Amino acid sequence: MELGRRVVIEGTDGTGKSTIADITAEMLRRNGKHVIRLDEPDSAIDEDGTILVPAARELRKLIKDGSIERTPEANVTLFTAARLANWLQATKPALERGDWVVQARDYTSTEAYQGYAEGYGIENVAYVTHQTLGNDYMLPDARVILDFDDNAEEERKRRIQQRGTLETPDTFEMRGGDFQQRVRDGYRLIARRDNIPLISSQQEKEVVA
């Protein structure tokens, strides 16, 4: 059987990664593909809404809880644990069946947020990911990065506010403009390093998709 394909939509908070991933998944389904959706570090979800990796969903609750103080090293460990659970229990088996996986975020996010913005070191994130998950995880069939202009911080905040009030403050969305700028700079560095397309998300979603 032909292997499935994995598509990764990356970018800072508020750029519309999940929206674009949903549009992409629906397009593939209309063309007869079975598609698993994943928003790392959450659980992969099958077409019928089945949560495939409950452990990853529980890890996400901890990761996203900004009221719990953690070091960058701890964040890298938590993200990597969630990724490993998803990879072994959902993503890899899906690809081997010939299904497609469309996901918002992969380890590139941890490179940008923890490796660059939090100062852990991009190369350290890559090393931990490679040692834990290997090349197959690190090399999806396609990856793009959604980008905000440097002067678009208010637009980022507006989009995030549209999601409503969270029970706990988000670990990374709540951080100030200087941190968000470092994240954008980190993504751009990674895009140049790996020749990943940068796509402006300050357009209508249909245009971005």
Side-chain angles (χ1 to χ4, degrees), residues 80-101:
T80 304
R83 289 189 180 108
L84 181 61
N86 272 309
W87 177 250
L88 294 178
Q89 294 177 237
T91 306
K92 187 178 180 182
L95 297 174
E96 291 172 347
R97 289 194 303 269
D99 296 341
W100 285 58
V101 177

Side-chain angles (χ1 to χ4, degrees), residues 100-161:
W100 285 58
V101 177
V102 178
Q103 64 184 79
R105 298 199 185 281
D106 69 351
Y107 82 101
T108 311
S109 288
T110 304
E111 287 190 312
Y113 279 82
Q114 281 68 54
Y116 192 86
E118 290 194 307
Y120 180 71
I122 289 177
E123 67 285 353
N124 293 329
V125 173
Y127 176 80
V128 170
T129 305
H130 184 267
Q131 291 296 107
T132 306
L133 289 105
N135 277 332
D136 287 346
Y137 169 82
M138 297 177 74
L139 297 172
D141 296 280
R143 182 191 284 122
V144 298
I145 296 175
L146 305 185
D147 190 40
F148 264 146
D149 293 343
D150 290 342
N151 61 359
E153 178 63 11
E154 293 306 313
E155 172 66 10
R156 183 191 73 86
K157 291 179 180 178
R158 184 188 68 79
R159 291 189 183 189
I160 290 172
Q161 287 170 354

Side-chain angles (χ1 to χ4, degrees), residues 13-17 158-166 173:
D13 293 312
T15 49
K17 297 175 298 300
R158 184 188 68 79
R159 291 189 183 189
I160 290 172
Q161 287 170 354
Q162 288 179 335
R163 301 173 185 171
T165 303
L166 300 176
E173 290 178 358

Side-chain angles (χ1 to χ4, degrees), residues 43-63:
S43 170
I45 299 177
D46 209 342
E47 288 190 347
D48 63 0
T50 301
I51 296 172
L52 299 173
V53 191
R57 174 149 293 189
E58 292 304 310
L59 282 167
R60 180 186 183 277
K61 293 177 183 178
L62 173 58
I63 289 168

